Amino acid sequence: MPSRLYPEDQKRVEEYLSSPVHRVERRPFRVWILIAIVVGSVVGLGLLSRLLAQFAVA
């Protein structure tokens, strides 16, 4: 897809994006860690709600 910017503007954008501030090294995304956090949160909140229900009945 061609750029809709003028060539000099496109050059300034590319210089800005290639500056060291925008070149942050990140670890690769691990989907299994996210799934574990979500499942752990759901299970933990479910157990907490059951515990609170037991206290409410008693």
Side-chain angles (χ1 to χ4, degrees):
M1 182 165 86
S3 175
R4 292 186 284 180
L5 298 174
Y6 290 113
E8 54 271 359
D9 292 334
Q10 182 66 38
K11 182 181 175 189
R12 287 195 339 222
V13 168
E14 289 172 2
E15 288 174 4
Y16 176 77
L17 291 177
S18 66
S19 68
V21 173
H22 301 287
R23 289 182 169 245
V24 177
E25 290 293 325
R26 294 193 173 107
R27 295 186 314 174
F29 179 72
R30 294 189 175 104
V31 70
W32 294 111
I33 293 176
L34 178 63
I35 290 173
I37 291 171
V38 169
V39 169
S41 298
V42 169
V43 169
L45 289 173
L47 292 174
L48 179 64
S49 68
R50 286 181 180 256
L51 181 67
L52 291 174
Q54 289 296 324
F55 284 137
V57 172

